[in-house]
Amino acid sequence: MEKGSYCLSAMSASNLVLLFTIGVVTIVMIRIMYIVYRRSKPLNPKSPQPLSTLIVLGSGGHTAEMLNLLNVLQMERFKPRFYIAAATDNMSLQKARVYEDSLLDKAGVDAVGRAEFMQIYRSREVGQSYITSIGTTLIAIAHALWLMIKIRPKVILCNGPGTCVPLCVIAFFFKVLGIRWSSVFYVESIARVRKLSLSGLLLYKLHMVDQLFVQWPKLKEKYPRAHYVGCLM
């Protein structure tokens, strides 16, 4: 009898664990479907509150394109602004500082708000082996998590550098967990004419961006969920 009671108790416990697991998975899936549905909704244009904005910069032409994009935005609505670049990319942050100084000279801090400049570890350096990149990727993810907890942005703007991927992934999981809703806007580089960059493709396939913009019609044909906006440069 005692052995039979023990078996029944064990079965009941395992059934409870199974039901709990199914319940959690169901809730998470419903939450993800809600996120995928809501992410296509535009930001409320009548919202009186400014939106804290995380801007991801990258080496090469990424930073120049991003600063050109910022020129067409209503900067008084996107404040405070947090610029992030890779730890080895000092030039991008210097350009961002010059840009912010020009905004302050034109409108003043009360109008455009303050800006902060930060660096993030790279997941993988150019030429780094894939084996050693495992450790650096984990460090980069941990650093990105710390930055996202610290900044808690309402908007994330990125346009191709690989440093944006861990930040966007963490933003997505924050949505799933209900910690913070950060709207992610990805603008593909004008240099991408026929296919998305690796960063853009990953975020597109995994449904981790709210809206993805392309600057060439061929990309819109190939990736129907993208938004064609023409050349922004």
Side-chain angles (χ1 to χ4, degrees):
M1 288 294 293
E2 291 182 0
K3 185 175 181 181
S5 299
Y6 174 78
C7 291
L8 289 174
S9 299
M11 291 178 62
S12 298
S14 62
N15 288 336
L16 287 174
V17 172
L18 179 60
L19 289 174
F20 177 77
T21 303
I22 293 174
V24 170
V25 171
T26 302
I27 292 172
V28 170
M29 292 303 297
I30 292 174
R31 177 69 179 172
I32 291 175
M33 289 192 309
Y34 169 73
I35 290 170
V36 172
Y37 165 76
R38 184 183 162 185
R39 70 195 173 109
S40 60
K41 304 297 182 182
L43 292 171
N44 183 8
K46 297 181 180 180
S47 175
Q49 298 296 326
L51 305 171
S52 59
T53 303
L54 171 61
I55 303 165
V56 186
L57 304 176
S59 57
H62 291 298
T63 293
E65 289 188 32
M66 178 59 73
L67 296 180
N68 281 333
L69 174 61
L70 295 179
N71 279 326
V72 302
L73 298 181
Q74 298 176 347
M75 299 306 288
E76 64 274 7
R77 189 173 180 221
F78 298 92
K79 61 181 183 181
R81 291 173 298 283
F82 302 88
Y83 293 86
I84 287 186
T88 55
D89 181 13
N90 294 317
M91 186 63 68
S92 292
L93 291 182
Q94 289 178 7
K95 292 179 180 178
R97 286 189 176 94
V98 172
Y99 173 76
E100 285 292 330
D101 289 341
S102 68
L103 291 179
L104 292 176
D105 291 339
K106 292 178 182 178
V109 67
D110 292 335
V112 299
R114 63 183 177 85
E116 294 186 25
F117 308 90
M118 305 174 177
Q119 292 182 308
I120 186 173
Y121 290 111
R122 283 184 183 271
S123 299
R124 180 174 180 267
E125 296 289 348
V126 177
Q128 182 180 354
S129 69
Y130 288 104
I131 295 177
T132 59
S133 66
I134 295 175
T136 55
T137 298
L138 294 176
I139 294 173
I141 292 174
H143 192 202
L145 177 61
W146 179 80
L147 288 172
M148 286 294 292
I149 293 173
K150 178 181 179 181
I151 299 173
R152 295 173 62 85
K154 292 182 180 178
V155 174
I156 298 177
L157 299 177
C158 47
N159 67 341
T163 49
C164 75
V165 174
L167 294 166
C168 293
V169 170
I170 292 170
F172 180 81
F173 281 109
F174 276 9
K175 291 178 185 176
V176 174
L177 298 175
I179 296 174
R180 181 68 162 181
W181 189 285
S182 299
S183 297
V184 180
F185 299 97
Y186 187 100
V187 182
E188 186 57 277
S189 171
I190 194 172
R192 293 291 174 169
V193 179
R194 299 183 181 276
K195 63 180 181 179
L196 295 175
S197 62
L198 180 57
S199 300
L201 184 62
L202 283 173
L203 297 175
Y204 178 87
K205 292 293 186 181
L206 295 175
H207 294 260
M208 288 188 174
V209 292
D210 291 80
Q211 294 185 25
L212 187 146
F213 301 96
V214 295
Q215 303 185 55
W216 296 98
K218 286 186 178 295
L219 288 177
K220 170 63 180 175
E221 295 173 3
K222 190 172 183 179
Y223 307 98
R225 286 191 283 108
H227 301 273
Y228 171 63
V229 293
C231 294
L232 299 175
M233 290 294 288

